[in-house]
Amino acid sequence: QVQLVESGGGLVQAGGSLRLSCAASGSIFSIYTMGWYRQAPGKQRELVADIGSGITNPERTNYADSVKGRFTISRDNVNNTVYLQMNSLKPEDTAVYYCSAGGLALSMLRFDSWGQGTQVTVSS
């Protein structure tokens, strides 16, 4: 079983910055993709950004159009941690942010795990 624990959410004024962290632990053999999703009240969960493992090639990153140029995703493969640096935050970025990770467990079975979510609130 693989657990994801997020941290770094909070309340910030528009234009400010926050950095989210998510650490994966448990029976991990390899993590392929790690990412961040968000869900605002009354809306569906949406992808914010994800990042590949970078084991065999440079890390692939993917961003939602709404956060391009403002958010940066990165990962530490040694510590199985993914980060989301959020700059120039806007009120519309307010949501619960969820970490995700997919890979291979020590059992050689595929896993797809989610964190418990961390609230990000941007005031105008």
Side-chain angles (χ1 to χ4, degrees):
Q1 192 169 356
V2 176
Q3 298 83 35
L4 303 180
V5 178
E6 300 128 334
S7 60
L11 173 64
V12 65
Q13 288 188 331
S17 299
L18 283 174
R19 189 190 194 210
L20 305 182
S21 301
C22 172
S25 63
S27 303
I28 300 169
F29 177 77
S30 180
I31 300 179
Y32 302 146
T33 301
M34 301 187 81
W36 291 94
Y37 289 72
R38 68 186 181 187
Q39 188 167 18
K43 294 187 177 181
Q44 288 188 329
R45 189 173 297 189
E46 63 175 358
L47 173 70
V48 177
D50 62 21
I51 183 168
S53 65
I55 294 176
T56 57
N57 51 45
E59 290 174 340
R60 168 204 58 79
T61 57
N62 179 45
Y63 294 92
D65 288 343
S66 59
V67 306
K68 283 181 181 177
R70 300 187 297 122
F71 291 9
T72 302
I73 190 169
S74 60
R75 64 187 283 176
D76 176 352
N77 288 327
V78 173
N79 295 302
N80 291 326
T81 301
V82 64
Y83 305 95
L84 185 68
Q85 178 66 44
M86 304 185 294
N87 298 328
S88 302
L89 282 160
K90 303 175 180 180
E92 51 263 43
D93 294 318
T94 295
V96 178
Y97 284 69
Y98 297 91
C99 173
S100 72
L104 209 58
L106 292 175
S107 62
M108 294 296 112
L109 295 176
R110 169 87 185 189
F111 72 86
D112 290 285
S113 297
W114 291 89
Q116 79 284 358
T118 184
Q119 177 70 45
V120 171
T121 303
V122 184
S123 63
S124 57

